[in-house]
């Protein structure tokens, strides 16, 4: 299986930007579709964005469209989430995940990172 480690979280003000990274090891990175999920206090873990193994196609939640961009660099075994125009409602623990399937469903992902905290202050 693939091991995943997120980084890049932090505290930013409304309207600010952060770039999250997800470093993968084990397996063949390019064979996995990858996704970002987030979980705010008291809420379920929700889909944020997904990307195919090649990086050619992406999906994103309506709540982040136009603000967040998912990408990957297979040569570096790393996936990214560029977050711009951040809002307080983006505050959550962000998780990266790997899947054999390109999906927005939590159940499709079988490898998860430990998460990185993103806090957006007003």
């Amino acid at each position: 299986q693939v091991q995943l480690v997120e980084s890049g979280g932090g505290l930013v003000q409304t309207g600010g930007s952060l770039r999250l990274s997800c470093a993968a090891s084990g397996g063949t990175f390019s064979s996995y579709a990858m996704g970002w999920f987030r979980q705010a206090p008291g809420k379920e873990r929700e889909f944020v964005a997904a990307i195919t193994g090649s990086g050619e196609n992406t999906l994103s939640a309506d709540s982040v469209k136009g603000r967040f961009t998912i990408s990957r660099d297979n040569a570096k075994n790393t996936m990214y989430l560029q977050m711009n125009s951040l809002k307080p409602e983006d505050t959550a623990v962000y998780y990266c995940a790997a899947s054999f399937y390109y999906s927005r469903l939590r159940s499709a992902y079988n490898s998860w990172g430990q998460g990185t905290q993103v806090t957006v202050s007003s």
Side-chain angles (χ1 to χ4, degrees):
Q1 65 174 5
V2 63
Q3 291 76 50
L4 305 172
V5 179
E6 303 95 336
S7 63
L11 174 64
V12 297
Q13 294 184 345
T14 297
S17 297
L18 283 174
R19 191 188 199 195
L20 306 184
S21 297
C22 174
S25 60
T28 302
F29 183 60
S30 62
S31 71
Y32 295 99
M34 299 291 294
W36 287 100
F37 290 77
R38 66 187 183 186
Q39 188 164 24
K43 296 185 178 180
E44 292 186 358
R45 192 168 300 187
E46 67 175 354
F47 172 77
V48 176
I51 189 167
T52 54
S54 68
E56 183 174 348
N57 297 300
T58 63
L59 296 167
S60 63
D62 289 344
S63 59
V64 306
K65 277 185 168 61
R67 300 188 298 121
F68 292 10
T69 302
I70 188 171
S71 62
R72 67 193 294 162
D73 186 340
N74 286 346
K76 297 180 179 179
N77 287 359
T78 303
M79 177 183 65
Y80 306 96
L81 185 68
Q82 178 65 48
M83 305 185 295
N84 299 325
S85 302
L86 283 161
K87 306 174 181 179
E89 51 262 46
D90 296 319
T91 295
V93 177
Y94 283 71
Y95 299 88
C96 70
S99 175
F100 288 119
Y101 308 101
Y102 179 51
S103 176
R104 59 199 336 134
L105 303 177
R106 293 189 302 272
S107 61
Y109 295 83
N110 47 32
S111 295
W112 294 83
Q114 295 186 16
T116 185
Q117 177 71 48
V118 172
T119 303
V120 185
S121 65
S122 59

